[in-house]
Amino acid sequence: MNELHSRVSRPLYTLDHIPMLGYPEFSTGLQTHVRVLRLLAYGFVTLGVLLIGSALGFQYLWQIH
């Protein structure tokens, strides 16, 4: 019972480290997928910021000339 209570009281960001349905290989695969998806999300956010920044920079340069 204590083990179940300690799992329930964990913060949300550790939920991807909980073994799912007693299958450790599934849990390891899930952790890998979560990491890959997180990296992809950070990459898309960075790409969006760069695109917006470059568009604003070109607009500023276009108005100067």
Side-chain angles (χ1 to χ4, degrees), residues 14-26:
T14 60
L15 286 180
D16 56 343
H17 299 288
I18 295 176
M20 298 192 66
L21 302 175
Y23 298 107
E25 64 275 3
F26 182 72

Side-chain angles (χ1 to χ4, degrees), residues 7-47:
R7 283 186 178 183
V8 172
S9 63
R10 288 183 183 172
L12 285 177
Y13 62 86
T14 60
L15 286 180
D16 56 343
H17 299 288
I18 295 176
M20 298 192 66
L21 302 175
Y23 298 107
E25 64 275 3
F26 182 72
S27 175
T28 305
L30 180 66
Q31 290 175 15
T32 303
H33 282 87
V34 167
R35 279 191 208 108
V36 168
L37 290 175
R38 196 175 291 150
L39 286 173
L40 276 173
Y42 289 151
F44 280 123
V45 167
T46 304
L47 181 64

